[in-house]
């Protein structure tokens, strides 16, 4: 059972987890634009590919699947997810399972404005959100919205382009800057129309992360909650697994209604006893290692499902009170 990880980047840990669970019964194949991507050091087969927006990107990935007898594809990059979702049937036609959600699900998660609307439609809390500068100013004037605010790309990835503003002058200046900055970046290819900057109420409080785990049919099978202790470059750097039934309830509502496939990485803030959902990322996120190291064997579950077997959902529950911290280390890469 060979598994392909696309846009492997720095997710070295994830490739190692799947290698552990494969137990020598399959290979980890990984692709990236550069063979020097750190995660490729953990792969059995490493291949350089064109950029995700290249016209031959999907054709090349299909070729790699055929040449390496790949059973399933796991995408690790936000910008690639919509492309892979739209091409999913082409992979199925050659016997490869793309572990990616339906295009509609990807669109809800990738478009942060649609994310806020969707979360609110489920009766869950989310920050007040605007894509119109005029509407945001009106809300400020009426007292419905207050500084500080968060400005970020509507179609964004990680912490790219996130800015905080504290007054009208900063709002005007930063909004104009982001309009130019986003269009000049890789995010410009994903941004649509003229309203591609999100203006959002800033929620200040304790941050949590969730892994909302669905099976290959989109059925929710588990939720792992982690209390974030420190962040670094937009990713969880230190965290501890916690037993929080209310946040798990939020996760189950999301998983049961969204019906995503695989992992959903969710950011939640607690303020005054209320839980606000900020981000939905339908992929393995930087917080997943904190779940796995606490006993959540989701890679093993995915391999079992691919092999036609079911699992005990108890294997997707973490041991509570397990705290971990990330650290840097060097891997040898080709020149």
């Amino acid at each position: 059972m060979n598994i392909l990880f696309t846009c492997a980047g720095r997710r070295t840990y994830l490739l190692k987890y799947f290698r552990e669970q494969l137990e020598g019964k399959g290979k980890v194949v990984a692709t990236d634009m550069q063979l020097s991507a750190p995660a490729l050091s953990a792969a059995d087969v490493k291949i350089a590919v064109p950029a995700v927006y290249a016209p031959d990107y999907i054709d090349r990935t299909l070729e790699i699947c055929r040449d390496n007898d790949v059973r399933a594809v796991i995408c690790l990059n936000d910008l690639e997810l919509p492309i892979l979702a739209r091409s999913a049937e082409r992979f199925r036609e050659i016997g490869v399972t793309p572990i990616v959600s339906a295009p509609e699900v990807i669109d809800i998660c990738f478009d942060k404005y649609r994310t806020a609307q969707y979360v609110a439609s489920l009766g869950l809390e989310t920050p007040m959100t605007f894509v119109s500068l005029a509407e945001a100013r009106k809300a400020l004037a009426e007292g419905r919205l207050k500084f500080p605010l968060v400005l970020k790309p509507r179609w964004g990835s990680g912490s790219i382009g996130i800015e905080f503003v504290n007054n009208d002058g900063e709002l005007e200046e930063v909004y104009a800057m982001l309009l130019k900055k986003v269009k000049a970046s890789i995010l410009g290819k994903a941004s649509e129309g003229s309203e591609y900057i999100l203006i959002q109420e800033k929620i200040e409080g304790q941050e949590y992360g969730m892994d909302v785990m669905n099976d290959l049919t989109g059925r929710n099978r588990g939720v792992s909650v982690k209390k974030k202790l420190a962040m670094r470059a937009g990713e969880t750097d230190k965290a501890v697994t916690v037993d929080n039934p209310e946040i798990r309830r939020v996760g189950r509502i999301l998983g049961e209604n969204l019906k995503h496939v695989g992992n959903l990485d969710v950011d939640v803030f607690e303020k005054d006893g209320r839980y606000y959902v900020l981000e939905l990322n339908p992929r393995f996120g930087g917080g997943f290692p904190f779940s796995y190291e606490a006993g959540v064997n989701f890679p093993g579950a995915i391999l079992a499902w691919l092999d036609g077997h079911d699992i005990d959902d108890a294997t997707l529950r973490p041991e509570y009170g397990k705290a971990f911290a990330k650290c840097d280390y060097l891997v040898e890469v080709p020149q």
Side-chain angles (χ1 to χ4, degrees):
M1 185 179 297
N2 299 337
I3 309 296
L4 170 62
F5 291 88
T6 58
C7 297
R10 298 173 59 86
R11 308 286 193 199
T12 308
Y13 55 82
L14 192 59
L15 275 65
K16 288 184 175 181
Y17 295 160
F18 273 84
R19 285 187 72 177
E20 289 175 4
Q21 297 304 319
L22 282 166
E23 297 179 332
K25 298 174 184 176
K27 294 181 179 179
V28 168
V29 183
T31 61
D32 200 277
M33 285 177 58
Q34 298 178 328
L35 289 177
S36 59
L40 268 59
S41 66
D44 298 297
V45 180
K46 49 207 81 174
I47 303 170
V49 294
V52 295
Y53 289 118
D56 61 339
Y57 177 76
I58 290 295
D59 288 339
R60 178 67 182 119
T61 304
L62 287 164
E63 180 184 14
I64 290 168
C65 289
R66 285 189 290 264
D67 291 347
N68 292 276
D69 194 23
V70 167
R71 181 72 175 277
V73 177
I74 298 176
C75 169
L76 303 179
N77 181 276
D78 293 317
L79 299 178
E80 185 194 6
L81 282 170
I83 299 169
L84 185 60
R86 291 193 297 267
S87 305
E89 192 55 38
R90 295 184 65 188
F91 287 88
R92 296 188 187 102
E93 287 171 355
I94 63 170
V96 177
T97 299
I99 302 180
V100 64
S101 300
E104 173 65 14
V105 173
I106 300 298
D107 288 345
I108 288 171
C109 298
F110 194 28
D111 181 343
K112 306 307 180 187
Y113 185 54
R114 288 194 66 189
T115 297
Q117 293 176 312
Y118 181 76
V119 170
S121 76
L122 298 178
L124 301 175
E125 302 278 4
T126 193
M128 191 179 299
T129 304
F130 301 86
V131 289
S132 164
L133 182 58
E135 288 296 321
R137 284 183 174 139
K138 180 180 178 182
L140 285 165
E142 294 173 348
R144 293 183 290 115
L145 182 66
K146 296 181 180 180
F147 291 106
L149 302 177
V150 182
L151 269 63
K152 59 186 177 182
R154 177 174 173 178
W155 289 273
S157 179
S159 59
I160 299 173
I162 294 180
E163 301 285 348
F164 301 97
V165 299
N166 297 293
N167 53 57
D168 289 315
E170 290 182 5
L171 175 60
E172 181 81 23
E173 182 180 341
V174 173
Y175 185 85
M177 176 197 71
L178 277 180
L179 281 174
K180 297 177 181 179
K181 188 175 180 181
V182 170
K183 274 302 181 183
S185 73
I186 186 67
L187 298 179
K189 292 183 178 293
S191 301
E192 302 172 8
S194 59
E195 295 179 331
Y196 52 86
I197 303 301
L198 208 69
I199 303 166
Q200 197 166 58
E201 169 190 14
K202 184 181 180 183
I203 304 296
E204 297 183 282
Q206 176 60 53
E207 186 173 3
Y208 294 84
M210 279 194 289
D211 290 305
V212 180
M213 296 162 281
N214 282 10
D215 63 22
L216 304 185
T217 68
R219 183 161 66 98
N220 183 240
R221 304 297 295 268
V223 178
S224 174
V225 181
K226 298 145 292 183
K227 181 179 181 180
K228 299 186 181 186
L229 305 177
M231 299 291 291
R232 183 182 181 192
E235 278 199 0
T236 307
D237 196 48
K238 298 177 183 178
V240 57
T241 52
V242 295
D243 181 7
N244 188 312
E246 181 57 26
I247 300 182
R248 281 202 303 275
R249 184 188 72 86
V250 171
R252 283 195 299 273
I253 290 172
L254 290 168
E256 291 170 359
N257 286 274
L258 195 59
K259 293 180 170 56
H260 63 279
V261 172
N263 197 54
L264 181 71
D265 179 64
V266 182
D267 290 334
V268 177
F269 272 83
E270 178 185 6
K271 181 181 179 181
D272 299 328
R274 300 164 73 180
Y275 297 97
Y276 294 80
V277 177
L278 269 75
E279 298 269 347
L280 304 178
N281 300 298
R283 54 168 172 75
F284 283 101
F288 179 73
F290 299 95
S291 291
Y292 184 84
E293 298 293 344
V296 175
N297 190 5
F298 197 39
I302 289 174
L303 296 177
W305 293 328
L306 288 169
D307 217 17
H309 304 299
D310 204 359
I311 57 105
D312 183 345
D313 288 355
T315 63
L316 303 182
R317 296 187 198 120
E319 181 181 346
Y320 301 125
K322 300 289 287 185
F324 300 94
K326 291 180 180 176
C327 62
D328 293 330
Y329 63 94
L330 297 180
V331 295
E332 185 174 0
V333 297
Q335 296 186 38

